[in-house]
Every structure is written in C-alpha cells, then in structure tokens.
C-alpha cells in the first residue's frame, strides 16, 4: 500500500459530506476512506486517533499528519490551485489559527450542515 491515504470519520454525516466534496473537487492520488473501513494497523493508526481528527498517511514519503495538517497534505497532493491552498494552510500563522478552528468544528460538527447527533465527538475519556 504505497498510495497516500486520507482517513475521516464515516459515522459523521458532516465529515462524509466534506470527504465527498474532496473526492469530487480535489483531484488527488490519495485514497479517501472512512476509518471504519480502513486498515488502521497497516496505516499505523488507531481508532482513537481517527475518531479525534482526520488523518493523512503517505507511506512513500513517510509523512503522517492529523487535523488541518492532514487537510493541508491532501490539498498539496492535488492540482496547483489546491496545492497553493494546502501550502497556505501550513504557513505558521495560518496553521496556528487552523488548529483551534479545526477543534471547534470537530466539537460542533453535529451542528454543521449535513451533521447529525451521530457526528458528536465523544469526550476524551470515552472508549472508542
């Protein structure tokens, strides 16, 4: 499995809608797959990591990333316009703002368009 993989929460309607948008509009060589159907051991991921944030794993470059860093990597694997957006997301001041924004969205994804109660992130101490 040398192909990069972007892993998201398939139980979340908002996450699934976002992943479907990426599949349709962000041409990438990466597989975009819900963590519930991914080979987590082969990717070196845990269910806990995947429930907490989207993940990027690229075995060819040995790059792994989570949250907005994973989104940046997905964008950077695409065409020039998306590559610029991914590069901007990695600029330190933007990245510093992206993480709190990502965490806010993750905590409130059940309230986002397309989100459902199933999208709510379990508390950190809950078992996955």
């Amino acid at each position: 499995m040398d192909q990069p993989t972007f892993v998201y929460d398939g139980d979340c309607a908002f996450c699934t809608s976002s992943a479907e948008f990426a599949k349709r509009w962000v041409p990438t060589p990466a597989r975009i797959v819900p963590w519930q159907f991914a080979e987590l051991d082969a990717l070196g991921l845990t269910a806990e990591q995947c429930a907490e944030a989207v993940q990027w794993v690229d075995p060819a470059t040995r790059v792994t990333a989570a949250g907005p860093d994973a989104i940046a990597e997905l964008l950077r694997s695409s065409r020039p316009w998306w590559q610029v957006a991914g590069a901007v997301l990695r600029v330190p001041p933007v990245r510093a703002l992206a993480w709190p924004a990502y965490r806010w969205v993750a905590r409130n994804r059940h309230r986002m368009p397309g989100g459902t109660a199933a999208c709510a992130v379990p508390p950190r101490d809950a078992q996955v």
Side-chain angles (χ1 to χ4, degrees):
M1 185 184 312
D2 292 335
Q3 184 179 23
T5 304
F6 183 82
V7 183
Y8 67 95
D9 186 351
D11 284 339
C12 172
F14 175 73
C15 303
T16 300
S17 295
S18 299
E20 291 301 322
F21 174 89
K23 287 178 185 177
R24 182 169 182 190
W25 297 105
V26 183
T28 176
R31 290 181 330 121
I32 300 175
V33 60
W35 70 263
Q36 293 85 349
F37 300 111
E39 296 176 30
L40 297 184
D41 289 339
L43 294 170
L45 298 172
T46 65
E48 182 178 77
Q49 288 173 301
C50 296
E52 190 169 306
V54 294
Q55 303 289 322
W56 173 266
V57 178
D58 187 343
T61 62
R62 297 187 177 167
V63 172
T64 60
D69 295 337
I71 295 167
E73 292 301 325
L74 174 70
L75 296 174
R76 288 171 35 153
S77 75
S78 187
R79 294 193 178 141
W81 170 253
W82 292 112
Q83 290 172 0
V84 169
V88 168
L89 193 53
R90 298 287 299 187
V91 172
V94 176
R95 185 173 183 255
L97 295 172
W99 269 104
Y102 181 86
R103 286 186 191 106
W104 184 87
V105 169
R107 280 192 313 271
N108 293 283
R109 62 191 183 173
H110 60 287
R111 296 182 178 124
M112 300 291 179
T116 65
C119 298
V121 177
R124 273 191 181 267
D125 57 352
Q127 291 292 334
V128 176

